Amino acid sequence: MELQLSMVDGSVCMKDSAKSEISSERTLYPYVTGTSIIGMKYKDGVILASDTAGSYGSTLRYKSVERIKQVGDHTLIGASGEISDFQEIMRYLDELILYDKMWDDGNSLGPKEVHNYLNRIMYNRRNKFNPLWNSLVLGGVKKGQKYLGTVNMIGTHYEDDHLATGFGNHLARPILRSEWREDLTFEEAVKLIEKCLLVLLYRDRSSINKFQIAKITDEGTTIFPPYALKTFWGFSHFQNPSKGAAGTW
């Protein structure tokens, strides 16, 4: 620990430089977090979905946190994990898109370029032991080419026809592997993604019944207002979850 001297109103004060260094650190642990993001390609474009919950620990503190955003003209991004870090990522992306538009050369960044940029950002922060605590799903369409990719807080990234983060990676991906088709219409894609969202609502305590869906096609981007799904809680395993289980009370 290093002590520094400074003059305040003519008197000498000691300042702990170690404390000033600590005050400049970023997220050491996620506090307000969002749960799963689901994304998939369909016949005309890409669709993303999430709920709008922001959990403070195990408390569902915020109910209207929109975690799907538009990036430039060709890209949608959804984030699970720390909300403040997602806001920092959006600040990076706003600067990137502004810089790209300032060239005014008729070109614009597509989803693949934005995904590559985020891969470098996440991996760079991981190497500094100061990661951004998010898992991101990024989808878009440019010149008729659909794109869907993901990157997590340590920079692991890949592309696929359907993706999910958080609990969705365990509970929604099996449904998507079984029922997804390349020629899904938008209505069929919404129906399939709502089936995944319902499973997550039933099984993920951090999920709430307030969902948001967004789509992107060659015609543009649409982020729909949040809405609720019809639920059924009368399943026998919900009413008596320990029935037939070994070693329960």
Side-chain angles (χ1 to χ4, degrees):
M1 182 178 68
E2 178 185 355
L3 295 179
Q4 299 175 348
L5 300 181
S6 61
M7 296 293 296
V8 179
D9 297 331
S11 59
V12 177
C13 297
M14 290 189 297
K15 182 173 66 174
D16 186 347
S17 63
K19 288 184 178 179
S20 64
E21 290 177 3
I22 292 175
S23 65
S24 67
E25 291 179 352
R26 298 190 186 274
T27 309
L28 299 180
Y29 190 81
Y31 283 92
V32 179
T33 59
T35 185
S36 307
I37 296 284
I38 303 173
M40 67 179 180
K41 298 177 183 177
Y42 67 100
K43 183 172 69 173
D44 298 322
V46 176
I47 184 171
L48 298 185
S50 72
D51 69 6
T52 61
S55 299
Y56 180 74
S58 59
T59 303
L60 292 171
R61 176 64 181 82
Y62 304 101
K63 307 294 177 62
S64 299
V65 181
E66 297 186 2
R67 297 183 286 119
I68 299 175
K69 303 290 185 182
Q70 182 176 352
V71 180
D73 299 325
H74 309 287
T75 308
L76 281 172
I77 186 173
S80 57
E82 172 60 43
I83 302 300
S84 65
D85 282 352
F86 180 46
Q87 292 170 335
E88 179 75 357
I89 289 170
M90 288 308 302
R91 187 180 68 82
Y92 293 157
L93 293 175
D94 288 342
E95 292 178 357
L96 177 71
I97 297 301
L98 177 61
Y99 181 76
D100 180 52
K101 288 183 179 297
M102 286 171 61
W103 284 98
D104 195 22
D105 57 359
N107 295 316
S108 57
L109 293 175
K112 185 174 181 64
E113 291 81 15
V114 176
H115 189 203
N116 288 336
Y117 172 78
L118 289 174
N119 296 341
R120 298 302 93 212
I121 289 290
M122 303 299 272
Y123 187 65
N124 175 263
R125 289 291 293 264
R126 173 257 194 187
N127 287 341
K128 293 180 177 179
F129 295 91
N130 187 17
L132 295 161
W133 293 71
N134 297 104
S135 291
L136 308 172
V137 173
L138 184 139
V141 180
K142 185 177 181 182
K143 297 180 180 179
Q145 297 296 314
K146 292 172 284 190
Y147 185 90
L148 185 65
T150 184
V151 58
N152 67 10
M153 63 180 287
I154 62 172
T156 303
H157 59 277
Y158 57 93
E159 305 168 33
D160 209 337
D161 293 323
H162 47 76
L163 294 168
T165 64
F167 262 105
N169 209 23
H170 305 280
L171 301 177
R173 287 300 297 279
I175 298 172
L176 294 172
R177 291 189 185 106
S178 174
E179 302 186 22
W180 178 86
R181 306 189 321 271
E182 190 174 355
D183 62 346
L184 287 171
T185 65
F186 176 69
E187 291 74 20
E188 291 172 329
V190 169
K191 187 175 180 180
L192 177 55
I193 217 161
E194 286 180 346
K195 182 177 182 178
C196 296
L197 292 173
L198 265 182
V199 171
L200 290 172
L201 176 63
Y202 290 144
R203 294 297 183 184
D204 183 358
R205 65 151 175 79
S206 297
S207 181
I208 64 171
N209 192 7
K210 188 178 180 183
F211 301 105
Q212 188 166 37
I213 286 177
K215 70 172 183 176
I216 183 165
T217 65
D218 274 327
E219 282 71 40
T221 302
T222 305
I223 300 178
F224 297 95
Y227 66 101
L229 295 174
K230 185 178 180 180
T231 59
F232 176 73
W233 296 94
F235 297 109
S236 59
H237 283 297
F238 287 167
Q239 296 172 353
N240 188 6
S242 63
K243 183 179 179 181
T248 68
W249 289 97

